[in-house]
Amino acid sequence: MATTSSMFMYSLTIQPPTSVTQAILGQFAGTKEQQIVTASGSRLAIHRPDPTQGKITTILSQDVFGIIRTLAAFRLAGSNKDYIIVGSDSGRITIIEYVPAQNRFNRLHLETFGKSGVRRVIPGQYLAVDPKGRACLIASAEKNKLVYVLNRNAQAELTISSPLEAHKPQTLVFALVGLDVGYENPVFAVLEVDYTECDQDPTGQAFQEVEKSLVYYELDLGLNHVVRKWSDPVDRTANMLLQVPGGADGPSGVLVCGLDNITYRHSNQEAFRVPIPRRRGVTENPERKRYVTAGVMHKMRGAFFFLLQSEDGDLFKVTIDMVEDDNGQPTGEVKKLKIKYFDSVPIASTLCILKSGFLFVASETGNHHFYQFEKLGDDDSETEYDSDSFPADPTEPYTPAYFHPRASENVNLVESIDSMNPQLDCKVANLTDEDAPQIYSICGSGARSSFRMLRHGLEVNDIVDSELPSVPAAVWTTKITRNDEFDAYIVLSFDNGTLVLSIGETVEEVTDTGFLSSASTLAVQQLGEDALIQVHPKGIRHIRADRRVNEWPVPQHRSIVAATTNERQVAVALSSGEIVYFEMDTDGSLAEYDEKREMSGTVTCLSLGEVPEGRVRSQFLAVGCDDSTVRILSLDPESTLENKSVQALTSAPSALSIMAMPDSTSGGSTLYLHIGLYSGVYLRTVLDEITGELSDTRTRFLGPKPAKLFKVSVKGEPAVLALSSRSWLGYSDPQTKNFMLTPLSYVPLEWGSNFSSEQCTEGMVGIQGQNLRIFSIEKLGSNLLQQSIPLTYTPRKFVRHPEHPLFYTIESDNNTLSIDTKQKLLNSQTIVNGDGVTLPPEEFGYPRAQGHWASCIHVVDPINTKSALQQIDLTENEAATTIAAVSFSSQSDETFLVVGTGKDVTVSPRSSSAGFIYIYRFLEDGKELEFIHKTKTEQAPSALLAFQGRLLAGVGSELRVYDLGLKQLLRKCQAQVVPNLIVGLQTQGSRIIVSDVQESIVFVVYKYQENRLIPFVDDVVARWATCTAMVDYETVAGGDKFGNLWLLRCPQKASEEADEDGSGAHLVHERQYLQGAPNRLALMCHFYPQDIPTSIQKTQLVAGGRDVLVWTGLQGTLGILVPFVSREDVDFFQTLEQHLRGEEAPLAGRDHLIYRSYYVPVKGMIDGDLCERYSLLPNDKKQMIAGELDRSVREIERKISDMRTRVAY
């Protein structure tokens, strides 16, 4: 990569892709518990289903920097742990194990067999495993198949053999599965088509007659080679194979699923066939045939069944009856095949049935679902169809089977897991006037699509919210004795007194606790074995277990201004600037240290750390003064209250907290000093446990109010609750152990404390105004909170109202009945009993019909009502294609909503009978739309944009400028500027950036006097642009449909020439270069993030952060590109990236540099996701890389974390 690039970006993922391409089940941790492993794009994740709570939690997610094409779980005979085989685009087979102790994936084997990349003849597309774990077959889409024998050596380690070839040229593979044959030689079943004759026959006759075959490949373990054992023609539409249990459990063989039929096949049995039942209903086409798109086989004791899903989402239960012998025991011979309707769930890419009685549905689009089985559908009244009444030969006629879909009876939804796949458009905007903007996005498809609002924060579970008699200043909770499991009292401090509440079944006021109720409280602590301490402005009250009270009064004319306590020590600061220190004696009384320590200024806050295990005291006292310093004082008996170190701050400290937290750098736990300033800034600095030195300070701005800090515990780990104008939680990330600071999605609190009772073992108590609130935090895994508003059809694009917090979406679905067609069918007289029931489309989808479009426009209010306010349905088979909000200067700058539609649109090959541009007026502050008029165009408009008080429209390959007339739009100017189809428009000044569907982008200038559109710069590479954004006047960022991100820049000279005054004749007459514009764009940056970018924009993500490029991907990815400011940083990260490529090689064996340069060599980009893997390296590797970079490990980790926290989450 040329280091001469003048622009560098740092690429980071904020939210990894959420679409699951494949999921597998297994006992990967080696325990009885089953886990789910999923593949999403280039990420491999392992999830733990919790059957008791009906939840799924992600344990580990890792980017493998390669495309995961297929996964399989296998287990060696006699072992209790499953391994994972990954087929990727690396040209290698990878075997991985999950190591629960270290929570990481460990690669056991990496065997190379071919070139890298997703190619037609390189294996990796299909993967099947012998059920007894003896061999696996990895195959390509055409020709090549390799069998690897899996075994274990004398040390009980997994071994893998050299590959055995089972190649057959000119053969296409459609499906592949391992046969269950018990302990006989492993057999693999393959659906194949031999196209030798089709290739040589120009008439196309051979193609019409070509056969699809089911082929058995047997691995002879004795001779160690693979033979083609059996082959038989099957239905030409067959697309899927499912393994039937064998050995002692069943007859062995496969289910072959094709169009409208499911057939049982095996080499020594007859074929049995059942049809796939079709939906019955007025709006359903009775002739439409279905495919099976997903299926799963589940074995129970002495029985097994299949759940197969059709393309509508309906699940069918398939069972096999076997012939019984004289004793009533089943023989291995099949009697019949039976199928019946089970339930309807979202269309899945994978179905998984857990032994604990749950069904995991990895949805193709929208949220993933986790269901619990209520029953297995054995005793319901659904019609069961069996193979006795249907012919086994696919060519013979048969009567189709029908069923009535109904609400779910057998499965019950227990959890819906957020997924934003497919994500079609996104805008970042601050509509709620918070300090950070929110992300608004449209995603999903069909009736399960949604408008989502994402904001940075942790989900808070509110438990109690009760009003108090007046406004409290502070709150504490305390136990009574040291060994209590739960807190006993909540102590509330008011301006003029103290209120004590006891925690039991209910929370009520108590007065006989020994606390002084007539003064406000500064600190409360359970001291020693069974005593309590209350610090108030005039003294310290020591309450013994037998209710005796010792009082330490303050010297005259002074009061206590700050206090800190732990279970053995107390320190207070007096108004005179003196610090008084107490330590507990052996008899449980508090002893005052002889000398008081004078501080230079007024003390604002103090902190003692917790007493470490096995020690009698905390070593240090932190003191914050109003001269903007923090001092660390020693509490050692030899050097009590002597200065150890000092830290200067930018403003006076408002809160301090010394606490030990897990640390990714040292791998263990480290002592930190957390500092909150009056300016609202939070600092975290490492406190050396021996010398008391402060180092490695990290800062974060929390909000304009002074920051207060409180020690709490979340998920058994210490955390810090930081309160400013928002509430924040500082905690260690469960996976990486990196320190995270995330706002809570909650009301702003004034004070907080830990809270633990029988009902809520790990919660927090806080004060908000006059209210007392008790809450807990359940999930630390995701720090982006989603709110979802359902939409009607697949959303295509959306725009924001220029002034009000409203959005307008256009939605359209192909091959779907529109509302008025559906209504006509329902009103017809031919309704038979039970056919007229309309089912909720969110669960059952819409009725399908070839060539029909259903489309609508929605007004969405994500802030106030959190719902769709108005729906405008399009009629006459029109589909909305594009939308814009345009202010017309001819209408005194009134803004109108402009929507482009196409009539009778065919997606491929692209055509439409006509296009229209609709104009709507905003009513009631944009909450309603009023139709004004529509203008016909030759084809559907594909891009619209407001431009200098007029409308700019891309219609086909033409760019047009329209103005608003009374009856329709008036065409003012047009030019053909791209060869194929305009898909995107951006503008600044008189410059228009036009993106073509496959010919990259063109810069066009509009000359107002001449009324001409003149293209003056285009690109050298044919990029299939999907989205673009202007970074500055000469630079454009964009993405293409192959998953690349790029930045292009217009040459300075060409840019200046285009903007020269005059008619633009010099541009028109300039010599064309290679049939294009006179000038070419220069490529600045290029990167392959692996997801298809659907939107990109320049914006800020955090308060006071720099501008970054935020892009979203089709599979639900959210990513950012951060520009580097200094050359020094670029060199540092380039070197770090280089070292990590060698030390932390991608898991699936792909070369990282080649992967990020999939189509074009990576340029001007640093992969932040790879750099962030630094903190997960073992310590020796960290030290080695740090040595090479001539930095300390902490310094490197700080630089990496700063790159993220300064601009994003």
Side-chain angles (χ1 to χ4, degrees), residues 626-637:
D626 64 357
D627 57 359
S628 300
T629 59
V630 169
R631 288 182 170 75
I632 301 294
L633 307 183
S634 165
L635 298 179
D636 230 29

Side-chain angles (χ1 to χ4, degrees), residues 937-998:
T937 55
E938 304 83 78
Q939 47 182 307
S942 47
L944 300 170
L945 185 70
F947 176 69
Q948 298 183 351
R950 293 172 172 184
L951 169 68
L952 196 62
V955 181
S957 61
E958 286 185 349
L959 186 62
R960 298 181 180 171
V961 179
Y962 284 101
D963 208 341
L964 189 60
L966 287 173
K967 293 281 177 67
Q968 63 169 27
L969 289 168
L970 312 170
R971 193 185 313 179
K972 296 291 184 189
C973 168
Q974 77 172 31
Q976 184 168 354
V977 293
V978 297
N980 303 300
L981 173 74
I982 296 173
V983 290
L985 296 168
Q986 304 288 337
T987 179
Q988 274 186 28
S990 298
R991 178 168 299 178
I992 304 160
I993 313 290
V994 183
S995 38
D996 181 74
V997 67
Q998 70 184 66

Side-chain angles (χ1 to χ4, degrees), residues 104-152:
R104 67 186 187 89
F105 290 122
N106 179 25
R107 190 167 72 206
L108 300 172
H109 288 288
L110 186 63
E111 297 292 321
T112 308
F113 51 68
K115 292 179 177 173
S116 62
V118 179
R119 299 167 191 258
R120 211 167 59 159
V121 292
I122 303 293
Q125 189 61 35
Y126 300 102
L127 179 63
V129 173
D130 170 58
K132 293 284 185 266
R134 297 168 298 173
C136 73
L137 173 65
I138 188 163
S140 57
E142 185 181 329
K143 185 182 170 188
N144 294 334
K145 299 181 193 66
L146 296 172
V147 176
Y148 287 91
V149 180
L150 305 162
N151 214 326
R152 55 161 75 86

Side-chain angles (χ1 to χ4, degrees), residues 442-720:
I442 46 174
C443 45
S445 72
R448 302 184 65 237
S449 53
S450 59
F451 179 102
R452 305 224 176 170
M453 169 173 156
L454 280 79
R455 47 151 58 91
H456 182 218
L458 289 172
E459 199 177 340
V460 172
N461 183 11
D462 213 342
I463 299 165
V464 175
D465 175 8
S466 64
E467 205 174 327
L468 296 164
S470 62
V471 179
V475 61
W476 293 270
T477 55
T478 178
K479 305 174 180 180
I480 294 182
T481 71
R482 184 185 187 160
N483 302 325
D484 284 1
E485 194 181 341
F486 301 121
D487 294 327
Y489 296 138
I490 297 178
V491 182
L492 291 158
S493 169
F494 297 89
D495 293 344
N496 54 1
T498 295
L499 179 69
V500 183
L501 308 173
S502 81
I503 304 168
E505 288 294 313
T506 58
V507 173
E508 52 208 24
E509 189 180 339
V510 282
T511 49
D512 57 346
T513 53
F515 281 96
L516 183 68
S517 57
S518 58
S520 61
T521 302
L522 295 171
V524 171
Q525 173 76 40
Q526 189 274 319
L527 192 80
E529 289 299 325
D530 51 10
L532 293 171
I533 281 262
Q534 177 192 16
V535 182
H536 53 90
K538 288 296 173 198
I540 299 174
R541 201 174 167 90
H542 184 185
I543 307 159
R544 293 297 188 88
D546 51 11
R547 298 294 157 89
R548 283 183 302 150
V549 173
N550 296 350
E551 185 87 38
W552 177 82
V554 177
Q556 262 184 327
H557 307 306
R558 295 179 201 163
S559 60
I560 297 176
V561 291
T564 175
T565 60
N566 65 27
E567 58 203 45
R568 301 187 60 88
Q569 297 156 287
V570 179
V572 296
L574 305 181
S575 50
S576 58
E578 293 168 311
I579 288 179
V580 190
Y581 168 63
F582 301 84
E583 201 170 300
M584 199 175 80
D585 270 352
T586 44
D587 64 347
S589 61
L590 275 183
E592 180 184 348
Y593 179 67
D594 314 338
E595 296 168 32
K596 298 183 173 63
R597 166 78 195 262
E598 282 270 353
M599 299 307 282
S600 52
T602 309
V603 177
T604 55
C605 47
L606 297 168
S607 174
L608 281 164
E610 292 286 307
V611 179
E613 279 291 309
R615 301 277 183 90
V616 291
R617 65 176 70 78
S618 164
Q619 299 284 42
F620 303 114
L621 171 67
V623 183
C625 300
D626 64 357
D627 57 359
S628 300
T629 59
V630 169
R631 288 182 170 75
I632 301 294
L633 307 183
S634 165
L635 298 179
D636 230 29
E638 284 81 56
S639 58
T640 311
L641 298 186
E642 277 182 24
N643 227 354
K644 280 281 193 183
S645 63
V646 64
Q647 165 117 8
L649 306 165
T650 52
S651 135
S654 55
L656 295 172
S657 174
I658 297 177
M659 56 194 282
M661 289 181 82
D663 174 29
S664 66
T665 310
S666 64
S669 157
T670 303
L671 203 59
Y672 291 102
L673 172 65
H674 303 267
I675 308 169
L677 305 185
Y678 275 103
S679 58
V681 172
Y682 159 84
L683 296 94
R684 184 182 74 126
T685 166
V686 175
L687 175 60
D688 191 296
E689 299 185 24
I690 294 136
T691 63
E693 290 292 319
L694 296 171
S695 61
D696 185 33
T697 306
R698 308 203 185 171
T699 60
R700 189 81 181 265
F701 177 62
L702 303 183
K705 282 176 152 182
K708 300 193 190 93
L709 306 174
F710 305 95
K711 181 182 183 236
V712 293
S713 100
V714 178
K715 299 273 178 225
E717 296 279 359
V720 58

